[in-house]
Amino acid sequence: KTIGDRAFSYCGIKSLDFNSEITIGNNAFVGNNITKITISKQLTIDPTAFSKNPNLRPENIKIGYYSNNTAEEILNSAALTSE
């Protein structure tokens, strides 16, 4: 499964729940107001996937046992200000 490049850019999304293995493309969620992400399975994340989501905080990223992803990886993407 894949979420393509810019698939959900600037859509006003506030939370995400990934419960299957998925690849997330370039700027897939850029410019939303994401404040919460739950990851149950392994994601392959483009470094810009969550850019321009400055309200995302470490305590609001829940990562399950079956994921190799890190909150730092996601926060680094969210902190990007360019596309």
Side-chain angles (χ1 to χ4, degrees):
K1 296 178 183 179
T2 300
I3 296 175
D5 295 352
R6 296 186 167 275
F8 296 99
S9 61
Y10 298 97
C11 290
I13 294 171
K14 295 186 181 211
S15 72
L16 296 166
D17 187 357
F18 298 105
N19 57 15
S20 63
E21 292 185 19
I22 198 162
T23 298
I24 301 175
N26 178 348
N27 288 309
F29 295 97
V30 66
N32 283 284
N33 190 25
I34 298 172
T35 57
K36 179 182 175 189
I37 297 177
T38 302
I39 301 170
S40 302
K41 300 287 184 177
Q42 178 63 27
L43 302 181
T44 302
I45 303 171
D46 181 272
T48 63
F50 300 102
S51 61
K52 293 190 176 181
N53 281 281
N55 296 320
L56 189 58
R57 302 284 179 254
E59 61 272 14
N60 294 328
I61 300 173
K62 308 297 183 205
I63 300 176
Y65 178 78
Y66 294 104
S67 176
N68 291 330
N69 299 98
T70 66
E72 181 179 5
E73 174 184 24
I74 294 167
L75 287 169
N76 286 342
S77 175
L80 293 174
T81 57
S82 61
E83 298 178 31

